[in-house]
Amino acid sequence: MDSLILILRVLLALGAVLAVLVLAHRYARRTAGTATGERLLTVLARQGVGSKASVVVVETGGQRLLLGVTEHSVTVLSTSDAPAPETAGQGAEAFSRVLHQATAGKHRSPAPTGSILSPAALKQVLTAGLGGPKG
């Protein structure tokens, strides 16, 4: 009976600790401004330029900032407007155009037909890969 009471006390204490951790996490997220899931600042790139210095590109509020970061300070080196985000269709069209330009004029052999284990498919692969059947 004493061990049952001890187990219940341990579980109750563990539950209280977990509840405090969950509440502290929610409070920290709310005060950091990320309770809605929206990021206020996005680091786009970082490049080290010394042992304790770097250049960072960040985006916030529709602007991009080029920052010089050292151990003791942060300096704004340049600012510019952030580019408009591409829609999914624009990105796909641009990719298709670049792919077509890259493969223009290049002859590609057709894909093997039938079973990969069939002699006809093996002959087709050998013909395409070696410039003609051998033997």
Side-chain angles (χ1 to χ4, degrees):
M1 186 68 172
D2 288 334
S3 62
L4 180 63
I5 292 174
L6 180 63
I7 291 172
L8 288 175
R9 285 180 60 196
V10 168
L11 290 176
L12 182 64
L14 180 61
V17 168
L18 289 176
V20 167
L21 287 174
V22 167
L23 291 174
H25 181 260
R26 285 185 183 175
Y27 177 76
R29 287 188 64 198
R30 192 173 309 135
T31 58
T34 59
T36 62
E38 183 179 327
R39 299 188 75 162
L40 300 176
L41 181 75
T42 304
V43 177
L44 300 175
R46 175 183 298 265
Q47 177 66 48
V49 292
S51 62
K52 295 183 181 180
S54 62
V55 177
V56 181
V57 179
V58 296
E59 186 173 326
T60 182
Q63 283 205 319
R64 284 195 176 169
L65 305 169
L66 180 64
L67 305 175
V69 180
T70 65
E71 187 175 359
H72 299 288
S73 69
V74 176
T75 305
V76 177
L77 302 174
S78 176
T79 63
S80 68
D81 292 332
E86 289 185 1
T87 61
Q90 290 173 339
E93 290 171 6
F95 177 76
S96 177
R97 187 173 50 253
V98 169
L99 181 63
H100 180 66
Q101 289 172 352
T103 59
K106 295 183 180 177
H107 174 69
R108 297 195 62 164
S109 60
T113 56
S115 171
I116 191 79
L117 301 176
S118 71
L122 180 61
K123 182 178 177 183
Q124 188 179 7
V125 168
L126 290 174
T127 302
L130 302 175
K134 298 286 184 183

